[in-house]
Amino acid sequence: MGRHASGKNNYALSGRAVAALVAVLVLVAGLVVYLATRGDRAAQDSASPATNCVAGDLDLPVAASDDAIGQSLVDAYSDANPVVRDFCVRPSLVDSIADAAVYIAPNTPVAHQQLAQRNRTASTAEPAPVLSVRVGVAGASVPASAADIELESVAFPVDEEPAASALVASTIAGNDQDAVNALTNQRVAAIADAGNSPLVATSEDNVPDGYSFVPVDASVLYTAIPLNQGEKVSEDQSRAGQDFARVLSERFQDGGVDQPAISDLVWAAATPTGGETITDHTETGATVADGGPVNTLFLLDTSEAMAPYLDSAAAGIASAAEAVADTGHQVALWNYSSPLNPGVTKGYRRNVAFTPDAGEVVQTVNRFLTGGKPQTREAVTAAVQQVAETGTPARVVVVTTGTADGGDDGTFAGAVSEAAGAGVTVSVVHVGEGQQDQALRGASSSAADAARPDQVAISIEAAAGISR
C-alpha cells in the first residue's frame, strides 16, 4: 500500500518534546544562576565569616609564658577569622593558666608543672610547635661570635625573657650548675634592668634599639598546648583551643635552628622564682603550696639521718593529714630509706593507701623507727607513678634529709614531669642541713627548708597546702 502525504513536516518536534526541551533549558539556566550566586555568597562568607556564626561569638582565653609571643600568636589566629562549632572565635590573652583554654610555652617539664599546679591538663600528649625564635645576646658592643661570649658578662631577664635566658645560659655555660648559678646571681626582671652588664640575653625579635645582636646556636620552640575543659573553661572553648593549635601549627615554618635539650634545673632557674627556689638554702619560712589542699600522699624519709627530726616530722604529717581530710580530700602515707631486711630490694614501703580517714595516717606515722640511707629518687619515682595511675589530681609531699641514690638527673626529672602531666605535683621539705637534691627541688612545685626541728611541722603543713 502506498504512503500518503499529510502536509506536515516529518522532522518537526512534537509538542511533548518541545516542552521537555524547554524544561531542560530552564533547569540549565537555573543551575547557572545558582552557581554564580553561590560563588558570590562564598566570597561574601569568606570576607565576612560572621554570617556563618549562627551560635554567636565564643571567647577563647589564651595564656602564654611570654606575653609578647602570646599576643603575636593570638593576633595571627584572629586574622584567620576562625569558626568552630558555628561559633566565631574571639581569642584574647589572659594572665592566668587557670582561666585559659590553651597555653603557649616551650614544651618543657616546667610548663607541665605550671599546669599541674593549677589542676589543668593538656588535651594532647604532643603539643604542636607554633613558633621558633632565635636567641642570643644583645649589647651596645657585642663579641664577634657566640664563642667569644663570657658568661659573667651577661644579664638574664627572667620576667621578660625566661626561655631565652635559659637557653643562652645553658649554651654558654656548658654545664647545668654554672648555668643555674648565672641565672640566679645575674638575673634581672627585664632587659631595661640590665644595668652595668655589657650584654643581656634576649630573643632576636626583642633586641632594644641601638643594640646589636649575636645569636647562639639555639632557638626557643614555642608550642600551643590545648587544655581540657575545667572550672572556668567550657567544652566549646577547649575545642577552640585545639583549633588554635591546629591552625597555627599548620602555618609554622621551622627556622632551621633547634631548641637544644637542657635540664629541668636550668628551665626552673630561669623562671621568676625558680632560681631562688633551687639555690637559696637559707630559707627558714614556709610558703603554702599553690592550689590549697588536694588528695595527698605523704612520703617520709625514715633513714638514719632523720632521727633528730622524726618526732617533729611525724607531728607535722599527722597535723597536715587531719587538715587535708577535713577539707574532704583523701590522704596516704609511705615511708622509705634503703632495704633493711634480707631479700628486700625496694627501699620504700606503702603503709596507708588513699583514705578519707586521717586517723590511719596519724596512728601509723607515730610508729616509725629510723635506719638505712635515703633512697629518695627511687621512692619519689614510685610514688608519683602510682598516684598518677589514680587519674585524680593529687600532691606528693616529700619529707627528706637528702638523696643517697643519685643517678641521671634528666631521667628522674622526666618521671616527675610525666606524672605532672597527669595532675600530680610534688612538694618537698628538706629537713636538716645535709646536701640537698637539686634535681628534686627543680622538679617540685614548691620547696621549703627546715634546718631545725621546730621548723619541720609548719613546713610540712605548708607543703600540703595548709595555711595556719
Side-chain angles (χ1 to χ4, degrees):
M1 180 180 295
R3 298 179 64 183
H4 301 280
S6 64
K8 294 183 179 180
N9 184 349
N10 289 332
Y11 297 99
L13 294 173
S14 67
R16 183 175 299 172
V18 170
L21 179 59
V22 170
V24 169
L25 292 174
V26 170
L27 288 173
V28 170
L31 180 60
V32 170
V33 172
Y34 168 76
L35 291 175
T37 57
R38 179 173 178 266
D40 292 340
R41 285 196 300 270
Q44 293 171 358
D45 289 346
S46 176
S48 181
T51 58
N52 291 330
C53 302
V54 295
D57 289 345
L58 176 69
D59 292 331
L60 174 62
V62 179
S65 61
D66 183 295
D67 287 346
I69 294 294
Q71 190 60 58
S72 69
L73 292 171
V74 164
D75 292 342
Y77 181 64
S78 182
D79 290 343
N81 295 316
V83 177
V84 176
R85 287 187 166 185
D86 294 329
F87 285 103
C88 276
V89 181
R90 308 300 185 197
S92 62
L93 204 62
V94 297
D95 294 330
S96 174
I97 296 173
D99 301 329
V102 59
Y103 182 42
I104 300 168
N107 184 29
T108 67
V110 171
H112 288 281
Q113 287 167 18
Q114 290 170 335
L115 293 174
Q117 288 173 22
R118 293 157 182 82
N119 293 325
R120 303 305 308 279
T121 57
S123 61
T124 178
E126 295 293 335
V130 292
L131 185 67
S132 178
V133 181
R134 289 173 67 97
V135 299
V137 298
S141 177
V142 298
S145 68
D148 300 319
I149 300 172
E150 296 180 355
L151 182 62
E152 59 271 17
S153 68
V154 183
F156 296 96
V158 295
D159 283 355
E160 184 178 1
E161 288 272 14
S165 293
L167 288 171
V168 171
S170 180
T171 303
I172 298 174
N175 67 79
D176 292 347
Q177 191 57 58
D178 286 347
V180 168
N181 289 340
L183 287 164
T184 303
N185 300 326
Q186 297 160 220
R187 60 173 39 218
V188 294
I191 292 175
D193 301 323
N196 295 326
S197 298
L199 301 173
V200 61
T202 184
S203 55
E204 190 172 20
D205 58 357
N206 196 28
V207 177
D209 292 340
Y211 275 33
S212 299
F213 177 75
V214 175
V216 298
D217 190 21
S219 287
V220 181
L221 184 63
Y222 286 90
T223 60
I225 307 174
L227 306 178
N228 290 315
Q229 67 183 93
E231 182 179 348
K232 299 181 180 180
V233 176
S234 69
E235 180 184 356
D236 288 326
Q237 288 174 315
S238 178
R239 291 294 185 113
Q242 296 172 24
D243 186 69
F244 180 98
R246 178 190 63 79
V247 169
L248 293 179
S249 66
E250 289 176 354
R251 294 186 174 193
F252 171 67
Q253 293 183 348
D254 190 352
V257 179
D258 294 332
Q259 177 176 295
I262 63 174
S263 76
D264 298 343
L265 289 175
V266 177
W267 281 118
T271 62
T273 60
E276 296 171 6
T277 299
I278 292 172
T279 61
D280 183 2
H281 297 171
T282 63
E283 175 66 41
T284 57
T287 301
V288 178
D290 289 342
V294 295
N295 289 352
T296 302
L297 167 62
F298 295 94
L299 180 60
L300 175 62
D301 173 357
T302 53
S303 68
E304 184 178 348
M306 184 62 75
Y309 312 95
L310 183 61
D311 290 345
S312 297
I317 289 175
S319 176
E322 290 176 336
V324 169
D326 285 345
T327 65
H329 295 94
Q330 297 192 25
V331 290
L333 174 67
W334 292 16
N335 81 303
Y336 73 93
S337 56
S338 56
L340 299 176
N341 298 311
V344 176
T345 60
K346 297 177 180 178
Y348 56 88
R349 276 77 68 179
R350 301 180 178 93
N351 307 111
V352 179
F354 275 110
T355 174
D357 182 9
E360 294 185 38
V361 171
V362 174
Q363 292 178 8
T364 304
V365 77
N366 284 293
R367 297 173 181 169
F368 291 141
L369 301 175
T370 58
K373 304 295 183 181
Q375 293 185 186
T376 304
R377 293 193 180 183
E378 175 196 49
V380 171
T381 300
V384 297
Q385 289 176 344
Q386 180 162 316
V387 173
E389 291 174 359
T390 67
T392 302
R395 176 183 291 121
V396 176
V397 174
V398 184
V399 184
T400 179
T401 60
T403 296
D405 58 336
D408 181 71
D409 289 355
T411 301
F412 170 68
V416 177
S417 299
E418 183 177 352
V424 181
T425 59
V426 174
S427 295
V428 59
V429 177
H430 183 87
V431 175
E433 297 182 349
Q435 183 175 357
Q436 303 193 23
D437 186 335
Q438 302 300 332
L440 175 59
R441 291 183 74 97
S444 64
S445 60
S446 71
D449 294 339
R452 304 189 310 268
D454 64 325
Q455 297 172 329
V456 175
I458 188 64
S459 296
I460 293 174
E461 292 181 0
I466 304 301
S467 177
R468 296 297 187 182

